[in-house]
Amino acid sequence: MTTQSEAIAADLEAIRANYSLTDEQSQIVDHVDRVSREVLHPLQARMDDEEWWPDDLFKQMGELGLLGITAPEELGGSGQNEFTQALVSEVISKWNPAVGLSHGAHDNLCLNNLLRNGSEEQVKKYVPGLCSGELVGALGLTEPGAGSDALGSMATTARRDGDDYVINGSKIYITNGPIADVILLYAKTDKSKGAKGISAFIIETDNPGFKVAQKLDKMGFRGSPTGELVFEDCRVPASAMVGPENTGVSVVMSGLDLERAMVASVCVGMAERALELGLEYAKIREQFGKPIASFQMMQSKLAEIYTEVETARAFGYRALAACTGLPKGAGGRGEIHKLTAAACLYAGEAFNKAVTEACHIHGGSGYMQDTEINRLFRANKLLEIGAGTSEVRKIIIAEELLRA
Amino acid sequence: MNKQLRNDTALPTHFMTDEQQALADQAGKFFMSEFHHLNAEMDDTDDLPSSVFPKLGEMGYLGLNVPPEFGGAGLDFTSACIITEQLSRASAAIGLTHVAHDNLCVNNIYRNANDDLRRKYLPGLCNGTLIGALGLTEPGAGSDALGSMRTTAKKDADDYILNGAKIRS
């Protein structure tokens, strides 16, 4: 007789075979699955209770080979494509959503963006440390007054002063902000040009003009440190600029496309975990003299959750496949823009449905904060807000449809 | 508008009487000024400030359906619901606690207990010196609360001996 986890492992193997993952990808997924289950899953309770991030966790992730998935091997990375990076995100998020979130901000938003857009010097300077976990990365885009209108309302400025830029402004809801060593930051270098006056910078957080105004207390993904960051006459050399001046918008927009494809994978991993937990509970919980899994109304929920998980996965993988090999500077418009926004929109809402039903299967116990299903439930809302709200994702899709 | 309902004065309509509307306005104002500001702290600490029950008792918002002879407000059931609605609007958490006390415990005692028990418990429950709860759900008895109930009360001469556990009460 096979155990529950053996059955699930067999299922996952079949799924991977269906998507023709390469042997290398399968090995990576197996490795990440094992270490995430053994090392990251047990951290959930304390991270959630205390908004606690374990001090050495990035270094530990570096040692376990979880960082720099898309970085070249000679710089300490794994030399994989973004599809594989998303698979890694999916599996980490399944076993510890908060670590998955911090990992994504570090590995995709900061490191991968830097790889795609940074100069050779910048890449050499920061990427090895980001791959080993010696350095922790973050990305600074959202501001107190600039959310859905991130580009238009951006108020942070970078003023040229001799060989330096002087940055002033604040950023909010920045994942890894309170613990970051380097931040890929967007600021306006020419206010008169609107979105076309934005530039990207790489900021070292030991700069005296940088401070963490506050660490924020979240509903879900607790433990992944989120902060409000303030820049006060923060002076950086011109060499800290990523890409040419006033071309930040293409970095933002192409980065956001990849981010949305990653977020879809995060949703898939978490929805898959919600299914496992719902299934497990339905089989062991007995009422009216039998396991509640024997009741058709519970079976209906399980069937619907499974369908959401696999639909989100199929669509998410399709978007990721389209992202693979996306040329530098591409994205932020056209088919890829539409497809990644749609995959992200679908996955966020699919996870909402899946986790709502899986939590409901748990009855009263699912309402208790210290259950894993409750943590997943509380984490959901971010996935329909971050990386563009569901509404912004719809705007992108509709604009691309109507442009043709 | 349903003619039959309007013409049959024995049947309640979903419209509030003038008294009920006045009750709702007064209660709503009081709950917003006294309780709404407690929400943040209650959410942070997962605790009920000790001032809440005495304040509810003092203003006559406990024992809503209990006659004045037992210390209650002597209101009709619809009026009790109107007050619950206003309280939950100001503070969902206090609303939940109030309904567990006032409906699940107090009103059940009033409807089902003998006079000795009523006289013993209702005055305290109505002035807020006693806090009530109801224990039904058990770790193994949720949707099947009655069929799966394991808590027992064994008769022993003039006493009963209780054994078991209740959860999420």
Side-chain angles (χ1 to χ4, degrees):
Chain A
M1 209 180 115
T2 58
T3 65
Q4 179 83 31
S5 59
E6 277 167 348
I8 288 167
D11 257 12
L12 288 178
E13 209 160 303
I15 287 164
R16 280 181 227 149
N18 285 341
Y19 287 103
S20 320
L21 298 196
T22 64
D23 287 349
E24 197 180 11
Q25 282 172 324
S26 280
Q27 279 164 17
I28 290 172
V29 170
D30 284 340
H31 166 73
V32 177
D33 187 70
R34 187 176 56 76
V35 301
S36 299
R37 196 161 7 96
E38 288 170 5
V39 180
L40 305 178
H41 189 242
L43 298 172
Q44 271 202 17
R46 186 173 162 200
M47 288 177 70
D48 185 50
D49 281 354
E50 302 172 19
E51 272 274 13
W52 167 67
W53 180 263
D55 275 342
D56 56 351
L57 193 52
F58 265 101
K59 278 182 202 153
Q60 206 180 346
M61 283 198 281
E63 282 159 20
L64 294 169
L66 303 179
L67 304 181
I69 303 299
T70 54
E73 289 181 51
E74 60 270 24
L75 295 176
S78 299
Q80 300 294 315
N81 61 22
E82 276 109 352
F83 197 125
T84 308
Q85 185 176 43
L87 294 172
V88 171
S89 266
E90 177 188 315
V91 176
I92 294 177
S93 303
K94 173 179 170 177
W95 293 110
N96 189 320
V99 176
L101 183 69
S102 277
H103 176 271
H106 171 99
D107 221 55
N108 181 262
L109 306 190
C110 182
L111 200 167
N112 193 54
N113 254 336
L114 189 62
L115 275 173
R116 289 175 64 87
N117 300 291
S119 67
E120 213 183 312
E121 277 166 31
Q122 287 166 336
V123 167
K124 275 196 182 136
K125 185 170 177 191
Y126 296 112
V127 168
L130 289 166
C131 288
S132 70
E134 287 293 319
L135 297 178
V136 176
L139 176 131
L141 172 62
T142 300
E143 299 183 2
S148 291
D149 185 24
L151 306 180
S153 297
M154 188 181 292
T156 298
T157 55
R159 181 173 50 81
R160 182 91 198 201
D161 183 36
D163 284 347
D164 298 338
Y165 282 92
V166 179
I167 299 171
N168 279 289
S170 65
K171 296 284 172 180
I172 201 161
Y173 311 133
I174 305 305
T175 301
N176 295 345
I179 59 165
D181 299 290
V182 292
I183 298 175
L184 184 64
L185 181 83
Y186 296 107
K188 286 218 165 136
T189 33
D190 187 345
K191 282 190 109 170
S192 68
K193 288 187 179 156
K196 293 200 160 62
I198 293 170
S199 301
F201 294 88
I202 187 131
I203 310 290
E204 300 176 13
T205 56
D206 57 4
N207 190 309
F210 168 86
K211 73 166 190 261
V212 178
Q214 59 171 330
K215 184 184 153 184
L216 300 160
D217 186 12
K218 303 187 302 303
M219 171 179 173
F221 287 106
R222 291 169 59 80
S224 170
T226 307
E228 180 181 1
L229 313 177
V230 171
F231 301 84
E232 270 170 0
D233 291 329
C234 179
R235 185 172 285 274
V236 298
S239 61
M241 185 175 276
V242 178
E245 193 175 61
N246 296 333
T247 61
V249 64
S250 75
V251 183
V252 180
M253 296 311 281
S254 70
L256 276 169
D257 282 357
L258 295 173
E259 180 180 352
R260 289 190 191 102
M262 295 286 154
V263 168
S265 288
V266 166
C267 293
V268 171
M270 291 169 68
E272 188 177 286
R273 185 66 185 146
L275 173 61
E276 287 181 11
L277 292 169
L279 200 50
E280 230 165 74
Y281 191 82
K283 286 163 94 170
I284 57 163
R285 172 69 173 176
E286 291 188 5
Q287 290 287 274
F288 307 102
K290 353 177 203 191
I292 60 171
S294 64
F295 301 119
Q296 287 189 339
M297 277 197 265
M298 292 298 114
Q299 292 171 4
S300 164
K301 290 185 194 299
L302 292 167
E304 283 174 0
I305 298 168
Y306 170 81
T307 306
E308 292 298 352
V309 174
E310 290 312 321
T311 313
R313 188 196 312 276
F315 194 5
Y317 285 8
R318 156 146 164 65
L320 280 163
C323 287
T324 303
L326 185 71
K328 190 175 152 175
R333 60 186 176 277
E335 186 61 23
I336 192 75
H337 198 40
K338 180 175 62 178
L339 193 59
T340 51
C344 192
L345 170 69
Y346 188 85
E349 295 186 348
F351 175 52
N352 184 331
K353 284 182 217 154
V355 78
T356 301
E357 292 295 25
C359 191
H360 198 91
I361 289 171
H362 282 72
S365 75
Y367 197 66
M368 301 299 115
Q369 297 225 40
D370 62 355
T371 58
E372 189 174 353
I373 193 67
N374 189 273
R375 280 183 213 120
L376 285 169
F377 183 85
R378 281 183 280 123
N380 167 254
K381 195 32 71 184
L382 174 64
L383 298 165
E384 296 175 304
I385 294 174
T389 61
S390 289
E391 293 72 21
V392 165
R393 295 169 198 173
K394 286 177 189 171
I395 291 170
I396 291 169
I397 298 162
E399 274 179 359
E400 292 301 331
L401 286 170
L402 294 167
R403 201 189 304 283
Chain B
M1 214 167 287
N2 190 321
K3 245 187 179 170
Q4 235 179 344
L5 265 185
R6 267 170 58 84
N7 291 340
D8 185 350
T9 49
L11 283 173
T13 73
H14 62 282
F15 296 107
M16 287 194 266
T17 63
D18 289 349
E19 293 90 62
Q20 286 170 338
Q21 185 61 58
L23 191 69
D25 293 346
Q26 186 193 24
K29 218 181 274 176
F30 178 74
F31 296 149
M32 284 308 278
S33 75
E34 293 296 318
F35 297 141
H36 184 258
H37 67 277
L38 299 175
N39 283 329
E41 186 199 330
M42 287 177 65
D43 187 54
D44 282 354
T45 59
D46 207 351
D47 222 347
L48 184 75
S50 58
S51 61
V52 169
F53 268 98
K55 218 172 251 180
L56 285 165
E58 215 172 282
M59 291 302 291
Y61 292 122
L62 298 179
L64 294 173
N65 298 126
V66 175
E69 55 168 313
F70 296 108
L75 293 171
D76 60 282
F77 196 70
T78 305
S79 298
C81 291
I82 288 168
I83 287 170
T84 301
E85 177 185 325
Q86 292 299 327
L87 183 54
S88 302
R89 179 169 155 259
S91 168
I94 296 177
L96 183 69
T97 286
H98 177 267
V99 87
H101 169 98
D102 217 61
N103 182 263
L104 308 190
C105 180
V106 179
N107 195 44
N108 257 334
I109 289 174
Y110 170 66
R111 289 168 64 90
N112 299 292
N114 62 32
D115 261 7
D116 285 347
L117 288 170
R118 284 167 156 184
R119 295 207 187 284
K120 183 168 180 188
Y121 294 113
L122 290 178
L125 288 165
C126 290
N127 68 24
T129 52
L130 295 179
I131 296 177
L134 177 130
L136 171 62
T137 300
E138 299 183 2
S143 294
D144 185 25
L146 306 182
S148 296
M149 190 180 293
R150 298 173 95 164
T151 299
T152 54
K154 187 163 64 78
K155 180 98 185 177
D156 182 36
D158 282 349
D159 300 335
Y160 281 95
I161 300 176
L162 298 175
N163 278 292
K166 294 286 172 179
I167 201 164
R168 301 192 273 276
S169 289

